[in-house]
Amino acid sequence: MRLAISLKNHYRGSRIKRPPPNQQIQFLNRLSNLLNRGYSLMSALSILQFDPALKKLIEHIHPYLLSGTSLHEALEKLGFSKYVVSYLYFSREYGNLQRALSQSAIILEQQLEFKKKFQKVIRYPVILFILFFGLLLFVKIFLLPTFLQLYASMNVQSTTILTTLKWLDRSLYFNFAFSMLTILFFAVIFITQKRASVQKVLSIYRRIPGWRTYLKTQTSYLFSYHFSSLLKSGMSIKQCLSIMRDQTHFPVLSYHASCMFKDLEKGSSLAHSVQKQLFLHEDMAQLINRNQNDGRLDQDLEIYAEWIIDELQQTLLKVLALIQPLMFILLAVFIMMIYSSIMLPLLEWMRQI
């Protein structure tokens, strides 16, 4: 009781912001290295307190652990990535904390590297698009009304001029409406996934091609990696699925594990149940069906998880390579359309003079 009050008072007077990814990676790597050298968890954390970059973070972790909170729960409360939290959650079941720390650090490093590349690729196109929408506002509010008044005062009767200007006016309305609808669409999805059931959210995700593919790959990786780790610890298939079902960090993984657990209780095979899941790769079912009985399923799934993460990295890099050229091309097309819409009526009017 005294420790709980002390913990409460500790956080009332001292709050920590969510650790940035670089600090999370540094903490995970150094803690993994110390555990690999034979230190206990508490001893390793005590040593890490001497690192100025991690001292404040360790000071916030220690009270949680002393009060009986597990490491993954402590890091979750401190705002660590859900990938880190989920890896440590599963490590508590299969008993290899050092491996979980090392693997979660690798995943975070890959995510951070991709984020930096994405920001670098998207920076200049976003600035140009902001300037472009500013230009659209200027054309809509000032330039277009001026042209219409000019042609009206000069009694211009050319249908080509008026048709082009009206088309430009409607296209500007369309661009603004499309932008607002896009923002509204993603806002609705964000709100829905917070409140709706997993089944409802998945029914929405399956209609978004790019996101559906990414989520399917992510869930397949998480399932194959963690399922392999749990099998290596000697657990039965039902025990593995039960642990996956009870975790809350990845609702889609939990939902599929629950469905598979129910299928197995009804007498279905694991391979057949995996094949039925919407957000798991179909070839995983073939792998399980082929290798479940030879005692190497844990190793095969571990290798399969490595292939998935490599494939995901290559796909994301290809997408990054396409984003910037496509955005520049799209921006150039829009600018040419607006320029033509303004200049063509002028040229038509000059011919009539």
Side-chain angles (χ1 to χ4, degrees), residues 176-186:
F176 288 127
F178 179 77
S179 301
M180 293 299 104
L181 287 174
T182 302
I183 295 173
L184 180 62
F185 173 74
F186 285 106

Side-chain angles (χ1 to χ4, degrees), residues 4 20 30 60 69 80 92-93 99 112 117 125 135 143 172 178 191 201-202 209 222 270 290 294 302-303 311 316 324:
R30 294 191 177 181
H60 283 77
T69 304
F80 270 66
R92 185 184 61 175
E93 304 297 336
R99 179 170 178 258
L112 185 60
K117 289 181 179 179
L135 175 63
L143 193 59
L172 293 176
F178 179 77
I191 295 173
V201 173
L202 292 183
L222 291 171
L270 178 62
R290 180 178 300 177
D294 64 3
E302 183 179 13
I303 295 172
E311 180 184 354
L316 291 176
Q324 196 173 67

Side-chain angles (χ1 to χ4, degrees), residues 200-265:
K200 182 65 175 178
V201 173
L202 292 183
S203 68
I204 296 174
Y205 286 163
R206 67 184 298 180
R207 294 178 173 87
I208 308 175
W211 183 245
R212 179 185 62 205
T213 302
Y214 171 77
L215 190 60
K216 191 172 187 177
T217 303
Q218 179 200 61
T219 308
S220 298
Y221 168 74
L222 291 171
F223 176 82
S224 56
Y225 179 83
H226 292 309
F227 197 80
S228 166
S229 299
L230 294 171
L231 283 177
K232 283 184 177 181
S233 68
M235 294 184 184
S236 67
I237 290 177
K238 282 189 176 181
Q239 287 176 318
C240 298
L241 293 176
S242 176
I243 293 170
M244 288 187 171
R245 177 192 61 190
D246 294 339
Q247 62 86 30
T248 58
H249 314 105
F250 292 94
V252 179
L253 178 63
S254 176
Y255 172 75
H256 283 319
S258 177
C259 292
M260 286 185 278
F261 188 88
K262 293 176 183 177
D263 287 343
L264 262 62
E265 286 190 323

Side-chain angles (χ1 to χ4, degrees), residues 15 64 95 109 136 141 172 178 192 196 251 255 263 286 314 324 340:
R15 292 186 178 275
Y64 279 121
E109 287 174 349
L136 286 181
I141 297 173
L172 293 176
F178 179 77
T192 300
Y255 172 75
D263 287 343
Q286 300 174 10
Q314 294 301 320
Q324 196 173 67
S340 301

Side-chain angles (χ1 to χ4, degrees), residues 93-104:
E93 304 297 336
Y94 62 75
N96 194 336
L97 178 59
Q98 186 274 328
R99 179 170 178 258
L101 290 167
S102 176
Q103 188 64 27
S104 58

Side-chain angles (χ1 to χ4, degrees), residues 1 60 62 64 79 81 87 94 107 117 138 143 165 206 232 252 258 260 269 280 282 284 331 345:
M1 180 67 179
H60 283 77
H62 251 137
Y64 279 121
S81 165
Y87 271 87
Y94 62 75
I107 293 295
K117 289 181 179 179
F138 174 78
L143 193 59
L165 290 175
R206 67 184 298 180
K232 283 184 177 181
V252 179
S258 177
M260 286 185 278
S269 67
L280 289 178
E282 294 79 5
M284 188 189 301
L331 185 61

